[in-house]
Every structure is written in structure tokens, then in C-alpha cells.
Amino acid sequence: MGRIILTGDRPTGKLHLGHYVGSLRNRVLLQEEGNYDRFFVFIADVQALTDNADNPEKVRQNVIEVALDYLSAGLDPSKVTIFVQSQIPQLHEMTQFFSNLVTVQRLQRNPTVKAEMALRGFNADAEEENRRGLPVGFFTYPISQAADICAFKSTTVPVGEDQEPMIEQCREIVRSFNGTYNCDVLVEPQILLPSNKVCRRLPGTDGKAKMSKSLGNCIYLSDTPEDVKKKVMGMFTDPGHLKVEDPGKVEGNTVFTYLDAFSEEADFAQFWPDYANLQEVKDHYTRGGLGDVKCKKFLLNVLNARLEPIRARRAEYEKDIPEVYNILKKGSEAAREVAAQTLWEMKEAMKINYFDDAALIAAQSAKYSK
Ligand code: ATP
Ligand code: MG
């Protein structure tokens, strides 16, 4: 079995820099390396509906936004199958079968689900006015996510570190399915985290733990240079660094975290020749005598250098929206075939393939012909 890569995003908004460094940039690198048999990237609209059931319009509008972000970041539909989750009904059948192998208690222990429940007010710890009932579909989405991964027999899942508990849960489901039905139909996937640690969970511009659509602290791939300027200039730094001459802290300083994630050696020669590399800037900032505004201006140049080719590609794709939908449709058709094959193998292993099982029909006939 070769290498099969799969990953996806929820269409709850446009993609942001957290998605870019956490997963999207890695996907483009993997695509360019070409070391895989199949590569699937999908838009998780069914998962997005688990906490947006009352707002299908938001999901519908964002499917095209995420698709545009994928293409503009450099995903090439001739190399990568891009599909929409709801168009693969086999995933829902698989989810049903997997649900029987997972306990409520195991789901309750999933730390990402716990954190996301709290964020959305879906649990008893949430503040009174923020408290909402927990939709069953949201609670069980790790199971549906396991189906997304297993349907394609994915070996490699490039995601940010918030997805670690999901992949672990998926691996358990694979072991349980193969063990229970005494088969080797499903494949245990491996998580692929960004090698640069700061990219595994990029903080928001407000310094909060994670840049997230739900927290409103994002710089989007499709932001204009003016938007990016406003957001960078308002970014959280070191609250103790009041005067330029004061020594500053780089740990927990979002500007430096972003420089760790985005700057390259060549950026210094191009935008800030006073320094040879990031370490020299950090040393100066820590000693004192280097102001936040200079650092932010450099970061702005770096971000715009990364975003400019993405903006240019987006402008091209925006001119042909029907073609973008066509890419998604073709990708969904191709994905459906693969998922149907896996589902068939699963049903065979579970022995619920009654009409294709000649031995079963013969045995039942023999029983009643006595
Ligand atoms: P939502 O708030 O709707 O959950 P999100 O911003 O968390 O949206 P997802 O669609 O849940 O985005 O995540 C898609 C992918 O991007 C996942 O692989 C996730 O690990 C990665 N990702 C999201 N935010 C970040 C971040 N701040 N840093 C690194 N990776 C991230
Ligand atoms: Mg998320």
C-alpha cells in the first residue's frame, strides 16, 4: 500500500494564516514533492453543519471561499482530488457503523471536543447566557472524521496539533473495526505536523492561543494589503515593552511568533538589511533599543511577500467561478468511487453483503430444503 494523503477544512469562513502554516503550506510542499499515490483535500461542509445547523447559508457561501483559498494557495486539481464532504454519501454509512464501536465515555474524553464544546457554549461549564444544548452530531463528529480518513485508506494526514486527539481516535476505530470483523480493510493513519513547532498552533493577532475563525482574531489569505497592515499594526506584543529603550520579551510576543512562522533568511536582505537573520533582531529587541513599530513593519513586508502570489492566483480563479465549482464536482465524483469501494469491503467484512454472498444464500437454501 502506497502513501495516501488526506486533509480538509470546515467551510465556516475564509482560510487564514493559521490554516496556511498549520496545514495548507505543507500540502503544497507535499504536492510538489509528488511522493504519494493519491492526494485528497476536502471541504468539510457536513462537519461545519454540526454546529451551524441553523445557518446553512453560511456554510454554502464558504464552500467556494475555501475552494478559492485552496487553489490560490497553490493546490493543483490535476494532482490533488478536491471534493465536498456532503457529496460522498458513503461517508455517512461508514459513520453509522463506526458509531457502534465508540463509547460515549471515550468521546467525552476527547480534549479537542471538550475545548470546542466550551468555546461554543455546549457544556455545563459554559457561562449561563452562553450555554446551549449539545447537538448529537457535533458530539460525534470525531467519528464522522474517522470515516472521512478511512474511506480513502489515508496513511498521512497533514493537520495542526489541535487535530492530534482526532487522529488518535481514528486509529482506535481502525483497530477496533479490523479486530472486531477480523479483517485488514482499514488503514491506521499517521498525523503529519508542521516541522516548525510554532506553526502547529499559530496564535491569533490578539495573542490568544489559537488563530481561529470562531475567535475573530485572524489574518485571512484573501485580506488586502490594507487589511493586513491594520491587523499587524494592532497586534499584541510585549505589554512590558513601553519605551523603545526598554528590554523586550520575544517569548509570547505574537509579532515574533509570526516572524518565526513566516520569515525567511532572504527577507532580511530584501526588507531589513540592518540584520542578517531573525536571531539578531530578537537579540536587539531583548537588549532594548528596538521598537515594536519597526518589527511590525518588517513583519508586514514578510507577510505581504508570502500573500502576494496567493492574491494574484485568487484574482485569476475569481474570474471563472463556474470552473471552480466544476473542479469540486469532478473531484467529488472521483472521491465517491474510492469511498464506495472501501464501503463495499467494509460491508463484506461485516458480512452484511447478503445479496453478493452466494455461500450464505446456499446455506440458507440447504437449511430449508431438508
Ligand atoms: P473553526 O473555528 O470553524 O473550527 P478553525 O479556524 O479552527 O475553524 P478548522 O477548519 O477547524 O479551522 O481547521 C482546519 C485545519 O487547519 C486543521 O488541520 C487545523 O489543525 C488547522 N488549523 C486551524 N487553525 C490553526 C492554527 N491557528 N494554527 C495551526 N493550524 C491550524
Ligand atoms: Mg477548528
Side-chain angles (χ1 to χ4, degrees), residues 24-319:
L24 201 46
R25 182 163 68 178
N26 245 354
R27 296 177 205 175
V28 178
L29 286 175
L30 289 164
Q31 169 187 283
E32 295 318 317
E33 278 168 21
N35 173 25
Y36 55 85
D37 288 343
R38 294 284 314 248
F39 197 155
F40 298 94
V41 175
F42 73 103
I43 302 180
D45 59 338
V46 175
Q47 191 186 117
L49 284 166
T50 63
D51 58 331
N52 290 283
D54 55 352
N55 200 355
E57 192 55 27
K58 169 171 149 189
V59 174
R60 191 166 96 107
Q61 295 296 330
N62 281 304
V63 167
I64 190 76
E65 294 298 340
V66 174
L68 283 166
D69 285 332
Y70 283 167
L71 296 166
S72 48
L75 289 182
D76 174 351
S78 72
K79 297 178 179 157
V80 172
T81 305
I82 306 178
F83 70 92
V84 180
Q85 189 186 22
S86 60
Q87 305 307 303
I88 322 295
Q90 290 81 1
L91 298 177
H92 317 311
E93 279 190 68
M94 290 182 191
T95 303
Q96 177 65 38
F97 298 136
F98 288 169
S99 302
N100 304 328
L101 302 172
V102 179
T103 64
V104 169
Q105 291 72 18
R106 175 65 184 84
L107 280 173
Q108 280 168 334
R109 281 202 307 274
N110 185 314
T112 301
V113 175
K114 267 197 213 164
E116 291 183 340
M117 273 166 57
L119 182 69
R120 289 161 178 77
F122 285 154
N123 69 356
D125 304 333
E127 287 183 26
E128 198 63 52
E129 74 274 18
N130 189 25
R131 203 179 290 170
R132 297 150 76 192
L134 170 63
V136 172
F138 184 84
F139 181 58
T140 57
Y141 92 74
I143 303 176
S144 129
Q145 198 165 315
D148 303 333
I149 296 170
C150 291
F152 304 93
K153 303 194 180 182
S154 319
T155 58
T156 311
V157 186
V159 284
E161 77 180 0
D162 61 313
Q163 294 301 308
E164 249 171 339
M166 301 297 167
I167 307 299
E168 194 41 50
Q169 184 140 28
C170 176
R171 291 164 59 87
E172 281 175 36
I173 290 173
V174 169
R175 289 196 291 271
S176 175
F177 186 93
N178 287 349
T180 305
Y181 303 112
N182 195 22
C183 65
D184 57 2
V185 171
L186 302 183
V187 177
E188 277 189 53
Q190 304 286 339
I191 191 168
L192 184 68
L193 292 168
S195 48
N196 182 349
K197 277 214 172 111
V198 297
C199 297
R200 296 178 181 179
R201 186 182 297 253
L202 191 77
T205 49
D206 54 359
K208 284 206 182 122
K210 186 178 169 236
M211 179 177 284
S212 168
K213 287 170 271 189
S214 312
L215 295 173
N217 56 9
C218 305
I219 295 176
Y220 293 96
L221 295 181
S222 50
D223 275 350
T224 62
E226 297 72 50
D227 293 333
V228 180
K229 184 172 182 189
K230 228 183 281 161
K231 292 178 183 180
V232 168
M233 289 306 162
M235 252 166 96
F236 180 85
T237 57
D238 168 13
H241 186 238
L242 296 174
K243 288 189 257 103
V244 172
E245 55 274 17
D246 290 342
K249 267 206 222 104
V250 296
E251 298 81 35
N253 183 324
T254 317
V255 171
F256 283 93
T257 309
Y258 281 30
L259 286 174
D260 276 324
F262 291 96
S263 69
E264 296 166 7
E265 200 102 334
D267 293 323
F268 293 88
Q270 192 180 352
F271 302 120
W272 212 1
D274 298 352
Y275 304 93
N277 54 44
L278 186 54
Q279 195 52 50
E280 287 187 9
V281 180
K282 284 183 178 175
D283 291 345
H284 193 177
Y285 191 84
T286 311
R287 267 196 322 271
L290 178 57
D292 283 346
V293 173
K294 277 192 179 168
C295 301
K296 285 180 170 176
K297 280 192 175 149
F298 175 60
L299 174 61
L300 185 59
N301 283 324
V302 169
L303 290 181
N304 279 325
R306 299 299 95 84
L307 291 173
E308 208 39 65
I310 298 179
R311 288 185 191 121
R313 270 193 297 265
R314 196 181 225 272
E316 285 307 306
Y317 280 109
E318 282 174 354
K319 288 184 197 150

